[in-house]
Amino acid sequence: MRLARVFDTARDAADPDEISGADVVVVAAEESDKWAELVRDRAPNAVVVVVGGSPHVMCETTLFPRARIIGVEDRDEARAVVETIASGTEGEFETVVRCQGERGIEDEFARVPVRIGPRGVVEIVES
């Protein structure tokens, strides 16, 4: 089992310095603008899970590869995604990601089925 360091802004916000070096960062969509620069500067290799909305702000501010920015509906879905990433395995989920031609969607965020692994989105499932 792979040990991933997870920083959840809802749980760990008391000490934002602890975000440094996190492998996975979980942030509420409405707080994306507050955390995006901190994530970019202190956890540059993290997979970011945005809960409750589009990951657009996080994606635009961090400039992370689209595979490392994942939008989910709620905390339960976030927990399942984080567990998959942390375990070093792969799993299939329906999440919000930036599509670049997949499923006929060009440069927009959409909820689509994806395969997630230890470094984020492995692929957008086409069929």
Side-chain angles (χ1 to χ4, degrees):
M1 182 169 134
R2 175 178 177 260
L3 293 176
R5 194 163 160 273
V6 179
F7 184 90
D8 185 335
T9 62
R11 182 190 68 216
D12 301 320
D15 190 0
D17 289 336
E18 291 296 314
I19 199 170
S20 296
D23 297 304
V24 182
V25 176
V26 179
V27 62
E30 64 270 11
E31 294 186 340
S32 287
D33 55 345
K34 173 183 171 184
W35 288 96
E37 288 183 23
L38 214 58
V39 170
R40 179 193 64 213
D41 296 342
R42 296 185 183 184
N45 298 311
V47 175
V48 182
V49 179
V50 179
V51 181
S54 174
H56 181 264
V57 170
M58 191 62 71
C59 198
E60 296 301 315
T61 303
T62 63
L63 299 177
F64 286 2
R66 70 184 181 133
R68 292 190 8 232
I69 308 285
I70 303 166
V72 298
E73 284 188 4
D74 56 37
R75 289 262 168 208
D76 290 335
E77 193 173 30
R79 187 174 302 109
V81 168
V82 169
E83 286 174 1
T84 298
I85 293 168
S87 71
T89 61
E90 292 186 358
E92 196 167 307
F93 299 88
E94 191 164 303
T95 66
V96 178
V97 296
R98 176 177 270 158
C99 294
Q100 295 176 322
E102 298 89 0
R103 297 185 159 259
I105 303 167
E106 187 62 46
D107 203 32
E108 291 182 29
F109 290 88
R111 189 165 182 82
V112 295
V114 298
R115 196 162 43 93
I116 293 177
R119 294 302 311 144
V121 176
V122 175
E123 74 173 326
I124 295 174
V125 179
E126 289 287 342
S127 55

